[in-house]
Amino acid sequence: MLREINFDGIIGPSHNYAGLSHGNLAATRNAGKTSRPRAAALQGIAKMRANLDLGLVQGILLPHPRPDHHWLTRLAADYESASAVLKAQALSASAMWAANAATVSPAPDTRDGRCHLTVANLLTMPHRSHEWATTLAQLRIAFADPAFIVHPPVPAPFGDEGAANHMRLCHAHDHPGVEVFVYGESGGPFPARQHREACETVARTHRLHPDRVLFARQSDAAIAAGAFHNDVVAVANERVLFAHEQAFADRDTLYADLRALMPDVEIVEVPAARVSLEDAITSYLFNAQLVTSPGGEPTLILPQEARDNAAVWSWLQDHVAGNGPIRRLEVVNVRESMANGGGPACLRLRVVADPATIDPRFLVDHVGLDRIAAVVEANWPEAIDPTDIGNPALIAQVEKARLALLEALDCLILAKG
Ligand code: SUG
């Protein structure tokens, strides 16, 4: 039985606001502020509980070893003597944003009938460029069943940001879909992180039917406004594409191509006259999880910031009142992640699979989440001020906290990273 499973990255104990992501306006705006790792992780756990309560299947991905001493060694450095920037890059908890872990093509879309996952290389940002090795190790454990094939990242120099720049439309999750790869070319002052060559490589690697794949360019305006990840301006689920009017460089062609491949696709476009690109990005309206509850009701799981924005909330109310395809709104609090530019959808990687084929250590129910919450409460630092990142006591606490979680989840095999 194929189901859509959301794998959320557990927010790691080193979560902090170092302002490392050039072009990510929330992250740079909050640079230097004091973070609250314990509250952050508990917010993520509460979001997973809300998903479970909707009747969805929930998975987890584990925090990475931080600081990343392997990476520092390859740079002929060590944490103690590294510069402040290198320290922050080695310590970042950015692996929490699981939407950037990999691109996933479910079995019904592939020519060999296996579910393919390609780990993202994230090479545009130094602090993210070293996530892939631990992600690969973890996915190879979680998806060891022959139903899956986990591929290493696309080689440099082609940047790949994973599922954040990929959408899938289908009649139902277990039916063949149309996969849309969204790349960037230019974003004015900011880097376009997803390269077209990487999209094409992933599509070939996943053995997708070429006539069921589309490549769409992000608008330069979206990237310049801070949305280098397409999942900040568009999200798809089953037959629904929910997108901002300015998300794509050539939306007419994309919509026409989609309608040709899927005549019953429902395109819900939010006009810039109702919600500006800026409001869409600060509220993370589109970084919502668009999911189908087991009752069949398309539900949008939104961050609080979307309810706090008058233009965004009034558009949503009108849509629901007007019987639009999105039938239900659920609001979650992920403020700590949001302040680093990661909303509800950034925190999860969607995999369509039979839950019985997944290593059970990576699936959770409320009892499993209780266990994780207890470890977080007892071990995660309460606060991190970026000036503290050279403090050996903090580093010892971060390292011990992760080991406590791995132990509680019987995942010590990942201890070395
Ligand atoms: O890559 N922020 C992440 C946010 C990722 C959002 N993901 C998706 N949209 N799918 C990024 O820019 C900030 C970390 C810092 O600055 O310390 C950061 O990496």
Side-chain angles (χ1 to χ4, degrees):
M1 225 293 252
L2 299 186
R3 298 276 309 265
E4 180 180 270
I5 310 170
N6 287 279
F7 288 82
D8 276 48
I10 295 174
I11 298 176
S14 67
H15 159 65
N16 72 96
Y17 299 124
L20 299 174
S21 265
H22 179 53
N24 182 330
L25 301 182
T28 43
R29 209 175 284 135
N30 290 306
K33 293 209 173 127
T34 299
S35 67
R36 307 209 153 266
R38 194 182 303 162
L42 295 174
Q43 288 169 1
I45 291 167
K47 171 169 98 72
M48 290 192 250
R49 291 193 193 279
N51 281 7
L52 286 174
D53 292 342
L54 286 172
L56 306 174
V57 186
Q58 184 65 50
I60 50 168
L61 294 175
L62 303 170
H64 290 199
R66 293 293 177 264
D68 187 344
H69 298 294
H70 289 306
W71 184 61
L72 288 170
T73 304
R74 291 191 57 204
L75 295 169
D78 60 49
Y79 196 75
E80 209 187 312
S81 59
S83 68
V85 174
L86 200 51
K87 275 193 176 74
Q89 289 168 341
L91 190 65
S92 176
S94 51
M96 71 174 82
W97 297 297
N100 302 116
T103 306
V104 184
S105 294
D109 299 358
T110 68
R111 276 181 279 153
D112 58 4
R114 294 170 84 185
C115 174
H116 289 248
L117 298 94
T118 294
V119 173
N121 60 29
L122 297 170
L123 56 76
T124 310
M125 290 289 138
H127 69 289
R128 305 214 63 179
S129 67
H130 54 105
E131 286 174 31
W132 69 266
T134 302
T135 303
L136 182 61
Q138 218 175 127
L139 297 186
R140 286 204 161 139
I141 295 170
F143 303 105
D145 190 276
F148 303 97
I149 177 157
V150 180
H151 303 280
V154 172
F158 305 118
D160 179 23
E161 299 276 321
N165 285 62
H166 175 257
M167 301 185 291
R168 175 172 189 260
L169 290 125
C170 53
H171 291 110
H173 293 304
D174 56 352
H175 289 205
V178 174
E179 297 199 14
V180 184
F181 290 82
V182 185
Y183 61 95
E185 266 171 22
S186 156
F190 301 140
R193 295 198 202 175
Q194 181 74 37
H195 296 185
R196 181 173 174 125
E197 293 84 347
C199 297
E200 290 172 348
T201 304
V202 174
R204 285 192 295 270
T205 306
H206 289 191
R207 307 192 61 188
L208 298 175
H209 297 276
D211 52 357
R212 310 225 10 114
V213 173
L214 296 174
F215 298 98
R217 184 158 86 83
Q218 258 198 291
S219 77
D220 297 345
I223 301 174
F228 42 84
H229 288 140
N230 174 65
D231 68 1
V232 173
V233 283
V235 59
N237 178 56
E238 295 188 332
R239 287 186 302 114
V240 181
L241 170 64
F242 178 43
H244 190 269
E245 182 185 355
Q246 289 165 287
F248 305 106
D250 181 359
R251 71 196 224 281
D252 293 342
T253 302
L254 173 63
Y255 295 172
D257 288 349
L258 267 177
R259 290 195 175 104
L261 288 171
M262 246 184 94
D264 56 348
V265 67
E266 297 199 68
I267 299 174
V268 179
E269 189 186 78
V270 179
R274 286 289 308 268
V275 175
S276 67
L277 205 44
E278 197 197 339
D279 276 347
I281 293 169
T282 50
S283 70
Y284 266 33
L285 164 62
F286 298 96
N287 202 258
Q289 286 177 248
L290 183 56
V291 296
T292 313
S293 65
E297 206 175 33
T299 301
L300 198 60
I301 303 170
L302 293 147
Q304 284 181 351
E305 287 75 357
R307 188 175 54 195
D308 296 344
N309 182 302
V312 165
W313 196 245
S314 100
W315 184 90
L316 284 166
Q317 297 300 314
D318 289 352
H319 177 84
V320 174
N323 273 332
I326 299 164
R327 299 301 323 130
R328 179 170 164 186
L329 308 175
E330 285 284 325
V331 176
V332 292
N333 172 12
V334 286
R335 279 204 198 281
E336 283 287 320
S337 168
M338 284 286 290
N340 242 342
C346 300
L347 286 164
R348 64 95 172 91
L349 180 69
R350 288 184 282 187
V351 179
V352 171
D354 177 351
T357 57
I358 288 158
D359 185 314
R361 291 173 296 182
F362 292 85
L363 294 176
V364 283
D365 54 12
H366 280 293
V367 175
L369 289 175
D370 290 344
R371 193 176 312 132
I372 296 169
V375 176
V376 167
E377 301 261 17
N379 295 279
W380 261 228
E382 198 185 329
I384 299 182
D385 182 288
T387 57
D388 286 344
I389 67 170
N391 176 352
L394 171 73
I395 299 309
Q397 184 182 2
V398 161
E399 294 188 319
K400 189 172 149 273
R402 174 174 177 268
L403 287 180
L405 182 68
L406 296 188
E407 199 175 349
L409 298 179
D410 193 21
C411 282
L412 277 175
I413 188 172
L414 281 163
K416 288 207 186 81

